[in-house]
Amino acid sequence: MKAMLAVHGNLAANPRFWPERKDEDGHVLQARWTAVVIETRRVRGADGEWRDDPDGGIPVTVTAYGARAMTLDRCDMHCGDPVVAVGEQAATEAYATRDGEPAARMCLTALAVCYDTIMMRRHAEHVAQRSTPLERRDGADGPARGTEDADAS
């Protein structure tokens, strides 16, 4: 039995790509694309406000092979990009944190990886809102958007 998993978060670093090649015995090694996605969880604090989990994000190694890997390499994804990955859990990988502490992360064999367009749109709107002068922002000393009186004719 295989379960499909979905992971959404931001790329922790630029993805790595290895093109298809032959080993010394002449066997063909598939192309491989791999990236670490940091899935940030939101938790509700005692005051009822939502915050990022104080334990930090959950790293997940996402790997694609063959034609999928070659396609993902052409997508030109970069560190910090919001993505969604769907696939099958492959294994758990042990590693050491920057502080030298042992840790582990889930590994996902990707069937699909795409940009998280919702998060990209929210970010673009946030940037646009911050660059708009305060007096021109929605809700700043004026009627709410869409509530202006229609021109009486």
Side-chain angles (χ1 to χ4, degrees):
M1 181 172 94
K2 293 183 180 180
M4 300 301 291
L5 301 172
V7 174
H8 62 92
N10 297 83
L11 294 176
N14 290 337
R16 296 185 64 196
F17 175 72
W18 294 267
E20 183 178 281
R21 66 180 178 85
K22 289 186 179 180
D23 67 9
E24 57 276 354
D25 296 330
H27 297 100
V28 175
L29 301 175
Q30 293 186 74
R32 183 173 58 143
W33 179 96
T34 188
V36 175
V37 176
I38 302 294
E39 187 174 41
T40 304
R41 304 281 171 108
R42 303 286 288 171
V43 295
R44 190 177 297 235
D47 60 0
E49 294 294 319
W50 287 96
R51 295 180 180 79
D52 288 341
D53 188 338
D55 293 333
I58 299 169
V60 178
T61 300
V62 177
T63 304
Y65 298 94
R68 283 186 179 99
M70 292 185 284
T71 301
L72 284 167
D73 184 53
R74 292 191 306 271
C75 289
D76 199 31
M77 294 179 172
H78 295 283
C79 179
D81 287 346
V83 297
V84 177
V86 178
E88 301 169 354
Q89 183 172 355
T92 303
E93 175 181 70
Y95 69 100
T97 66
R98 289 181 182 167
D99 300 330
E101 297 294 319
R105 68 176 147 232
M106 180 178 65
C107 297
L108 186 79
T109 300
L111 298 176
V113 179
C114 61
Y115 289 105
D116 185 339
T117 55
I118 294 170
M119 292 308 295
M120 291 178 82
R121 182 64 188 185
R122 284 182 179 170
H123 178 73
E125 290 172 353
H126 178 74
V127 168
Q129 180 76 10
R130 285 186 20 202
S131 66
T132 303
L134 185 58
E135 62 274 2
R136 293 186 49 216
R137 293 183 190 173
D138 287 344
D141 296 328
R145 182 184 218 163
T147 61
E148 299 86 2
D149 290 334
D151 203 0
S153 359

